[in-house]
Amino acid sequence: METIFTERHNLRNSKTELFGGQLVQPFERPSRAEYIIGRVREVELGPVSEPDDLGMKPILAIHDKGFIDFLQIAWQDWQAAGYKGEAMPTVWPARRMSQRIPTDIEGRLGYYALACETTLSGGTWEAAYASAQVALTGAQRLNEGAKAVFSLCRPPGHHAAIDMYGGYCFVNNAAVAAQHLLDTGAKRVAILDVDFHHGNGTQDIFDTRDDVLFISLHGDPMDAFPHFLGHADEKGSGAGVGFTVNYPMPPKTNFPTWRTALIKALEQIAKYAPDKLIISLGVDTFENDPISFFKLKSEDFATYGADIASLNLPTLFVMEGGYDIAEIGVNTVNVLQGFEKAF
């Protein structure tokens, strides 16, 4: 299996995250990708390639232009305003407040942010753009006939909505890749999100559409970030009714319970019969992940990789979360090897 990867992910190297009322070192840090690519090379999973640059057009096919313009200049505007720390929103257009976009950088941060844990710093936009190109290149490989590709994206993307960032995500890599596949010949694409946290951004993007089936297995939003999306009764709207499927699960969910939901999801994907499959691959379902509460073990990742392979679909794996950094490489590659052995 080919891996698409770029060292430009290191340009995103923020030093602060708001967690538990303290400013801490971000859980989403450069070493995550380095552990994963190290494991890819250690087991000789396959060739490692730099991404092509497919430009801005595929990103703007998914995201609001004003939002993307904001991401490109937010850090410079923050510095120009004289602030010394990393850019962090402090105010939002909450219920019954105006939805106008402020001119001041403090107001724009709040308008475009869905949470305040994710700071903006120098290099963030450049890394997010490169991450999207990693996903797009993986999609292109499927178009060229590859059966499976691993896009080692960092920063991740599935929390990024049409016009909001947060949860460490800026550009929705899986959604951009899905749209590119549709724009280059696919009739239907399925996105299966196995990250511990709900893919709220992906759901937001495809909520009204029937050409993308979005299924997410995740921690119940009553107990887990992002809290305000991902309930089982959210099924899409308009033409998209029935094409959003959520499987929220409670604290301490073990692998047999999680796998039962996965099998149901795979049956729904098979019935949908997509041309291509995208996996939003987060391995923060691991039992020792510091910001999650599922109880999967390392060997379980290989098992469910094989389960996904049973669909026999051209498959793009897009890296999302996973914050037990010591084991992130093993757990990620276990999924890919499990898939390959069974495909």
Side-chain angles (χ1 to χ4, degrees):
M1 184 186 301
E2 182 181 12
T3 296
I4 313 299
F5 174 70
T6 176
E7 292 289 349
R8 281 176 286 168
H9 80 86
N10 283 298
L11 294 169
R12 166 68 183 169
N13 192 15
S14 289
K15 304 303 182 184
T16 52
E17 173 180 336
L18 184 61
F19 178 77
Q22 296 179 301
L23 290 176
V24 301
Q25 180 186 12
F27 291 98
E28 203 295 292
R29 61 188 75 155
S31 56
R32 296 177 61 250
E34 298 305 326
Y35 272 93
I36 297 168
I37 197 64
R39 182 63 174 172
V40 164
R41 290 175 169 141
E42 179 184 352
V43 305
E44 298 180 339
L45 184 71
V48 177
S49 306
E50 281 282 328
D52 299 323
D53 190 341
L54 280 74
M56 190 73 79
K57 185 176 179 181
I59 295 172
L60 293 175
I62 285 296
H63 289 289
D64 172 73
K65 185 179 185 300
F67 170 59
I68 296 300
D69 289 345
F70 159 80
L71 288 177
Q72 293 179 74
I73 63 171
W75 175 242
Q76 290 85 346
D77 286 356
W78 179 260
Q79 289 183 301
Y83 297 115
K84 303 303 180 184
E86 294 178 335
M88 182 185 299
T90 56
V91 61
W92 285 266
R95 290 185 295 277
R96 295 177 300 283
M97 296 179 74
S98 169
Q99 300 299 308
R100 299 175 190 175
I101 304 174
T103 55
D104 184 79
I105 183 59
E106 181 185 38
R108 278 183 286 140
L109 279 166
Y111 181 84
Y112 286 117
L114 62 89
C116 68
E117 83 297 302
T118 302
T119 58
L120 287 169
S121 57
T124 293
W125 164 250
E126 292 80 3
Y129 178 86
S131 190
Q133 301 307 319
V134 168
L136 285 164
T137 302
Q140 268 300 105
R141 294 291 197 272
L142 293 191
N143 284 340
E144 294 163 3
K147 298 298 183 184
V149 183
F150 175 38
S151 286
L152 206 180
C153 294
R154 182 185 172 269
H158 72 151
H159 293 307
I162 293 169
D163 58 356
M164 290 182 287
Y165 76 93
Y168 316 135
C169 302
F170 306 95
V171 175
N172 194 309
N173 303 311
V176 168
Q179 186 63 53
H180 181 69
L181 290 170
L182 292 167
D183 289 342
T184 52
K187 301 300 182 185
R188 291 185 301 277
V189 174
I191 300 176
L192 174 61
D193 192 325
V194 295
D195 190 282
F196 168 79
H197 301 95
H198 177 251
N200 61 286
T202 313
Q203 178 172 316
D204 173 65
I205 289 164
F206 296 114
D207 179 71
T208 62
R209 293 171 51 174
D210 61 4
D211 55 352
V212 175
L213 172 66
F214 171 67
I215 303 182
S216 179
L217 285 62
H218 52 271
D220 193 320
M222 296 300 290
D223 301 301
F225 183 93
H227 293 297
F228 300 106
L229 213 61
H231 298 282
D233 60 357
E234 297 162 8
K235 301 180 185 299
S237 58
V241 170
F243 297 96
T244 291
V245 183
N246 287 310
Y247 289 97
M249 287 171 271
K252 300 183 179 180
T253 290
N254 60 19
F255 182 57
T257 299
W258 187 91
R259 193 182 185 199
T260 296
L262 174 67
I263 297 304
K264 291 179 181 177
L266 296 179
E267 290 171 350
Q268 289 166 303
I269 292 170
K271 184 177 180 181
Y272 183 65
D275 301 300
K276 304 286 195 303
L277 173 65
I278 295 175
I279 306 297
S280 273
L281 179 58
V283 295
D284 42 0
T285 50
F286 183 53
E287 60 183 345
N288 294 329
D289 194 275
I291 57 174
S292 308
F293 56 60
F294 285 173
K295 298 300 176 183
L296 275 64
K297 302 180 183 301
S298 288
E299 58 268 25
D300 298 331
F301 292 92
T303 300
Y304 86 64
D307 290 337
I308 293 170
S310 69
L311 289 172
N312 195 32
L313 289 167
T315 303
L316 174 62
F317 292 90
V318 174
M319 194 68 209
E320 302 287 2
Y323 307 101
D324 186 318
I325 293 174
E327 299 299 325
I328 190 173
V330 170
N331 293 336
T332 300
V333 174
N334 277 1
V335 177
L336 303 175
Q337 288 186 309
F339 178 93
E340 275 207 313
K341 290 175 182 177
F343 194 80

